[in-house]
Amino acid sequence: MGAPQLIATCWTTAGDVRPDRPDNLGRFPLDQRIEAAARAGYAGTGFWLGDLLAWEESGRDYGSLKRLLDDAGQRIVELEFLADWFATGERRSRSDAARAELFRAADALGARHIKVMPPFLPGDPAGDDLAGEFAALCAQAEEHGLLIGLEMLPFSMLPNLASALEMVAAADARNGGLLVDIWHVMRSGGTMEEVAQLPPRFVIAAELCDAMTAMQGEITEDTMRHRKLCGEGEFDVPGFIRAMSRAGYDGPYGVEILSDDFRQLPLRQAALRSFESSAAQF
């Protein structure tokens, strides 16, 4: 199997920063991150909404960012992430503002998809209500030519592939489905056979990393601090890729390395090592 198109997700080129901390802006300028990803061999780049807002606040517009992407040959653009798209009150107001900004950036940058987060609180919508909100989000995104990928998280209210698939299938949106991350599959107790049986119409995107089989500390700390480059842990990354292929998935793979050690690497080294180690799994 030849290597597919790989996306340098935003946290892989962000430097020494964690997405779950208030100070979560990337430590390297976006133009340098795009260049490093392209030089390493990536076909696409991912952007965190906070970094996009900071780009505009510095006096530059999305048009200039799009030109940088085009010049670097970065054909795939991923945006992340949208939370609370199902909520009410102040949470929903903030989410709706982020949704509008993500759509505006997507229009300017020609984005492929937006990552969205599942509910985390017991009082959040579930069942048909949640599926209805997801369908409405996807309908809005379709007006912008966007795919919407729900990222299943084992510490959320959709903690496994079965529950996440049930929701997106109930929504039945043409442009909405799952973003399948090997880390979350493994930590949720999922199997490669479950991955292989996913209906292809509900698989929007995929992500790669590696890790040790035994979790280190609490699950939220493990996901933020202890992922590894592909091939340096104990996950069956080639088996995951084969299972995704059996499921009919032939789209791009994001590379998302959330690791204390990896965050210390110089930008170009981080981009090159993450690309080469991931491409080697194919």
Side-chain angles (χ1 to χ4, degrees):
M1 184 186 302
Q5 295 177 313
L6 298 180
I7 303 170
T9 62
C10 65
W11 307 115
T12 293
T13 60
D16 191 12
V17 57
R18 281 176 53 162
D20 61 337
R21 297 290 169 82
D23 181 19
N24 55 17
L25 294 182
R27 298 301 190 252
F28 302 114
L30 289 184
D31 52 349
Q32 294 181 20
R33 292 164 67 178
I34 292 169
E35 179 188 14
R39 283 176 177 250
Y42 282 104
T45 295
F47 295 103
W48 165 242
L49 178 57
D51 287 329
L52 292 174
L53 295 175
W55 175 269
E56 284 207 315
E57 289 170 2
S58 71
R60 294 165 290 187
D61 61 13
Y62 291 152
S64 62
L65 192 58
K66 179 64 164 64
R67 288 190 290 275
L68 288 172
L69 289 165
D70 290 344
D71 290 345
Q74 296 291 275
R75 299 176 300 280
I76 308 170
V77 175
E78 172 185 80
L79 302 181
E80 65 171 281
F81 57 73
L82 182 64
D84 292 339
W85 43 272
F86 44 78
T88 59
E90 181 60 28
R91 288 170 62 198
R92 181 57 177 267
S93 296
R94 291 194 299 268
S95 179
D96 284 349
R99 181 186 307 201
E101 191 61 39
L102 285 166
F103 285 164
R104 187 171 72 87
D107 288 341
L109 301 178
R112 177 186 184 270
H113 64 267
I114 294 176
K115 284 190 197 181
V116 302
M117 295 293 103
F120 288 92
L121 303 177
D124 285 336
D128 290 342
D129 291 339
L130 184 63
E133 290 287 356
F134 189 75
L137 169 62
C138 291
Q140 288 186 357
E142 192 169 22
E143 298 175 4
H144 301 269
L146 280 165
L147 302 174
I148 296 294
L150 175 82
E151 188 166 14
M152 178 275 291
L153 298 169
F155 43 91
S156 75
M157 302 307 291
L158 297 175
N160 50 46
L161 285 175
S163 60
L165 177 61
E166 181 180 13
M167 192 282 288
V168 299
D172 198 25
R174 291 183 299 181
N175 61 323
L178 301 179
L179 184 150
V180 186
D181 183 328
I182 186 175
W183 194 95
H184 298 307
V185 171
M186 297 302 295
R187 290 295 186 248
S188 69
T191 66
M192 295 302 106
E193 191 58 33
E194 283 183 89
V195 172
Q197 292 178 6
L198 290 171
R201 63 165 296 198
F202 293 125
V203 180
I204 297 300
E207 285 187 344
L208 301 176
C209 69
D210 208 339
M212 306 307 290
T213 302
M215 190 166 62
Q216 301 180 62
E218 296 295 325
I219 192 168
T220 51
E221 285 296 294
D222 190 55
T223 191
M224 292 291 169
R225 300 183 58 196
H226 300 299
R227 301 196 197 192
K228 293 181 177 294
L229 293 168
C230 293
E232 296 187 359
E234 297 174 342
F235 287 177
D236 183 6
V237 182
F240 174 76
I241 294 166
R242 288 193 297 270
M244 290 294 291
S245 180
R246 287 171 57 199
Y249 181 71
D250 60 358
Y253 284 78
V255 178
E256 186 175 67
I257 311 299
L258 301 174
S259 156
D260 289 348
D261 293 336
F262 181 79
R263 292 184 183 105
Q264 306 306 314
L265 294 177
L267 174 57
R268 288 192 177 182
Q269 187 177 352
L272 185 60
R273 289 186 61 188
S274 60
F275 175 82
E276 289 183 341
S277 57
S278 299
Q281 305 306 306
F282 294 84

